Amino acid sequence: MTIAVKTFARLAEAASALSTERGARFLAGGTLVMRAVNEAEPSIETLVRSTDPSFVGIAVTSGRVELGAGVTMAAILGERELAFLHPVARAVGGPAVREAATIGGNLFAPSPYGDFASALLALDATVTLAGGYGQRELSLEEFLGRRERGASLVSSIAFKRPANEVFRFTKVTRVHPKGLSVLAIAAQLPLANGRIAGPRIAYGAMGRMPLRAKAAERALEGRPLEDNAIAPALAVAADGTSPLDDAIASAWWRREILPIHLRRLLLGAGRS
Ligand SMILES: Cc1cc2nc3c(=O)[nH]c(=O)nc-3n(C[C@H](O)[C@H](O)[C@H](O)COP(=O)(O)OP(=O)(O)OC[C@H]3O[C@@H](n4cnc5c(N)ncnc54)[C@H](O)[C@@H]3O)c2cc1C
């Protein structure tokens, strides 16, 4: 079967082709979609790509970060202002994968992939969707919950830049340095007078998609980051999760070790 590859100079044109061309799939870094093509996935008839410069743009100010969805993990690692995201980008595959893998593609990667998406969820990111008739923005959390995600073209991702030390990430894997996630935890832990104020925690591989740890967030509110004070949050760490049961780890094991790694992350002793 032949597959047409269509390249557009503007994201709006690519978005329009994605929604109108038969069997169209967007091609970003291709680390997953090309695997599907090589395996002769029958639903793919057209690959749509874009050379729009905004797709690979990185804009960092003191308060905000805006990233084109086509920014690669390697490009994140090359940006000093994004040092807080380096442990996340470094956790995605090996060097060859990171050269191609994009942050936009990571939002569509099936669990246990999606390490970067978990971090973006903890950062309360918004995604901008490009369409033939304009753009619209929605929260990443809402976007991840949508069924028809495949039909939209994500053009960019933005979030408030966290203050130093506020953002933490850890990935638990059996194979170092580049194994798949047993689980991943990303957290934004702002402190006010030594107590947590408005925490945001996201897990990878603890469900079909990256998800928020809402029970743990509630239990942490107003508490100092100390062993006794975080115990209630650890007790509810797995609430609302439905961990993957796969060749990497059983769902039971993921639930068992989650509080251990959450404790390490909260007390600042996590691996990243
Ligand atoms: C060997 C190997 C190791 C890997 N290790 C990891 C890992 O450790 N952690 C991890 O999280 N992932 C891992 N991955 C998965 C993958 O590389 C990453 O998730 C990557 O970020 C996917 O991005 P991509 O640009 O390559 O996506 P592509 O393959 O180009 O696309 C993937 C899917 O997303 C859609 N898509 C891509 N970009 C957009 C967009 N902007 N708008 C709309 N749809 C879009 C495509 O149509 C396709 O359906 C690994 C993959 C391989 C092959």
Side-chain angles (χ1 to χ4, degrees), residues 126-140:
T126 56
V127 298
T128 299
L129 303 180
Y133 301 101
Q135 299 200 328
R136 72 193 182 91
E137 192 176 297
L138 71 167
S139 75
L140 174 60

Side-chain angles (χ1 to χ4, degrees), residues 11 18 24-35 44 47-48 55 69-73 88 90-94 97-98 100-110 112-117 129 143 149-156 171 177-181:
L11 279 171
L18 196 60
R25 192 77 73 85
F26 190 72
L27 170 64
T31 57
L32 293 176
V33 84
M34 287 314 294
R35 190 154 72 180
I44 304 177
L47 288 173
V48 173
F55 195 52
V71 167
T72 62
M73 302 299 157
V88 189
R90 211 175 288 116
V92 175
V97 167
R98 291 196 288 270
T102 64
I103 61 166
N106 205 262
L107 307 183
F108 295 86
Y113 293 147
D115 298 320
F116 206 90
L129 303 180
F143 176 75
R149 285 189 311 139
S152 332
L153 172 53
V154 177
S155 54
S156 62
K171 172 172 167 174
K178 53 176 186 174
L180 299 186
S181 272

Side-chain angles (χ1 to χ4, degrees), residues 42-189:
S43 66
I44 304 177
E45 295 179 42
T46 307
L47 288 173
V48 173
R49 53 192 290 274
S50 176
T51 52
D52 196 320
S54 70
F55 195 52
V56 293
I58 297 182
V60 187
T61 63
S62 56
R64 192 171 160 83
V65 177
E66 193 161 335
L67 305 169
V71 167
T72 62
M73 302 299 157
I76 297 281
L77 286 168
E79 181 61 58
R80 216 191 291 173
E81 296 285 312
L82 296 177
F84 63 98
L85 282 175
H86 289 183
V88 189
R90 211 175 288 116
V92 175
V97 167
R98 291 196 288 270
E99 278 301 320
T102 64
I103 61 166
N106 205 262
L107 307 183
F108 295 86
S111 233
Y113 293 147
D115 298 320
F116 206 90
S118 309
L120 291 171
L121 187 58
L123 288 165
D124 198 9
T126 56
V127 298
T128 299
L129 303 180
Y133 301 101
Q135 299 200 328
R136 72 193 182 91
E137 192 176 297
L138 71 167
S139 75
L140 174 60
E141 193 166 7
E142 192 188 332
F143 176 75
L144 289 174
R146 279 160 43 123
R147 291 235 177 98
E148 75 282 19
R149 285 189 311 139
S152 332
L153 172 53
V154 177
S155 54
S156 62
I157 299 162
F159 51 87
K160 233 173 103 186
R161 185 177 176 174
N164 284 345
E165 303 300 314
V166 164
F167 178 76
R168 298 180 191 178
F169 174 80
T170 189
K171 172 172 167 174
V172 182
T173 172
R174 289 180 190 275
V175 184
H176 294 284
K178 53 176 186 174
L180 299 186
S181 272
V182 173
L183 59 87
I185 311 174
Q188 249 199 114
L189 303 167

Side-chain angles (χ1 to χ4, degrees), residues 219-220 223-224 226-237 259 263 266-267:
L220 278 175
R223 306 213 162 218
E226 292 163 8
D227 225 344
N228 288 341
I230 65 170
L234 302 185
V236 296
R263 176 180 174 276
L266 294 174
L267 298 179

